[in-house]
Amino acid sequence: MRLYVNIDHVATVREARRTDEPDPVRAAAAAEQGGADGITVHLREDRRHIQDADVRALRAAVRTVLNLELGAAPEIVRLAARLKPFQATLVPEQRREITTEGGLALRGANRKVCTAVERLTAAGIRVSLFIDPDPGTIDRAAALGVPAVELHTGRYARSWRKSDAALRALGRAAAHARARGLAVHAGHGLTYDNVQPVAAIRDIEELNIGHSIVSNAIFLGMEEAVRRMRQLVDEARKP
Ligand code: PXP
């Protein structure tokens, strides 16, 4: 299973002072040393953490692969098509949210999402859609012709201590997406405590984890924080 590390919140700390530390490029290198298979960043329209220059620098420095999360706004899509990350994950974006709250609904006309998928695909970028683990939404994603979806694990992250309903829904959704020919990624709200049941779902091939790893990196350093998450993921995946 691939572990992609989201380093947005390294830039959040830097932007708290609008200075030049901590450096996301350095964080990416340490995450790779710790066993990350890819580096993820979200270039938000409001540029609250990751900046355009970070994406450019990471594009050049990352030795694994870069997964760029973005909303479907034409300005950001154009930038992504120029920067050519290995993968682009389209997410719904609202200015006032603290973090990405739900998945793309993909209901109705979805002109913006369709255009974004077309533009990014034409630029040679692998496109993934961040969606809720819901069969109807998965079908609509498959109909858009993307190779991959990322299932939103937020409901699981909020409820796993009390109920396994969200975990079962994730398992069913992952199987449904695989049956539709989609590669299945997952993420949001995953931590050292709750990652293993999700990592054990065989139909999921990639996890995107940010906040918990960056939080632990404050105490352990980025390399060790990633190494520990890597171990948990690999352990959960053992036959
Ligand atoms: N996947 C997507 C699409 C996201 O938007 C985020 C948050 O930026 C994550 C994964 C990572 O979530 P967390 O920071 O809670 O691990």
Side-chain angles (χ1 to χ4, degrees):
M1 165 170 268
R2 300 189 298 273
L3 170 63
Y4 284 20
V5 176
N6 180 316
I7 56 168
D8 289 348
H9 296 308
V10 173
T12 301
V13 175
R14 181 192 62 196
E15 293 305 305
R17 287 295 174 91
R18 303 249 156 81
T19 175
D20 58 2
E21 65 175 6
D23 177 10
V25 169
R26 191 170 163 199
E32 289 177 326
Q33 280 296 323
D37 299 300
I39 301 297
T40 298
V41 289
H42 185 174
L43 185 65
R44 295 187 66 102
E45 266 188 278
D46 63 11
R47 308 296 201 275
R48 68 170 73 150
H49 37 53
I50 291 292
Q51 308 295 310
D52 302 30
D54 293 322
V55 183
R56 251 177 253 118
L58 287 163
R59 175 73 181 79
V62 161
R63 287 157 179 259
T64 52
V65 292
L66 184 64
N67 172 35
L68 180 65
E69 293 177 5
L70 71 163
E75 175 233 348
I76 305 274
V77 172
R78 262 196 306 276
L79 198 63
R82 271 205 306 276
L83 292 169
K84 295 200 194 310
F86 166 73
Q87 179 169 286
T89 301
L90 283 167
V91 304
E93 195 176 299
Q94 285 153 28
R95 274 183 184 258
R96 285 154 74 143
E97 68 192 356
I98 291 178
T99 180
T100 320
E101 279 167 2
L104 292 163
L106 304 180
R107 283 181 200 287
N110 280 309
R111 225 23 270 156
K112 260 165 92 176
V113 174
C114 289
T115 306
V117 170
E118 279 164 21
R119 288 221 164 120
L120 296 166
T121 305
I125 302 165
R126 180 174 197 262
V127 180
S128 173
L129 301 178
F130 187 48
I131 58 173
D132 287 325
D134 158 68
T137 315
I138 290 165
D139 292 344
R140 290 192 286 279
L144 285 173
V146 292
V149 289
E150 180 176 338
L151 301 178
H152 197 310
T153 52
R155 184 164 86 88
Y156 164 75
R158 284 191 303 276
S159 65
W160 68 280
R161 288 181 202 275
K162 287 168 274 174
S163 151
D164 64 358
L167 182 66
R168 282 189 278 110
L170 271 173
R172 284 195 301 272
H176 185 80
R178 272 285 296 274
R180 290 276 178 282
L182 293 160
V184 187
H185 312 160
H188 209 283
L190 296 177
T191 68
Y192 295 78
D193 291 333
N194 69 21
V195 71
Q196 285 196 312
V198 176
I201 299 174
R202 300 268 154 193
D203 288 316
I204 299 178
E205 60 183 68
E206 175 187 311
L207 295 180
N208 275 281
I209 308 181
H211 185 266
S212 188
I213 291 177
V214 175
S215 301
N216 274 267
I218 290 171
F219 302 106
L220 301 171
M222 180 60 85
E223 189 176 329
E224 181 60 19
V226 173
R227 187 169 293 121
R228 290 190 189 188
M229 186 62 84
R230 169 93 262 167
Q231 269 169 8
L232 289 170
V233 168
D234 291 347
E235 213 177 275
R237 209 60 177 190
K238 275 198 193 124

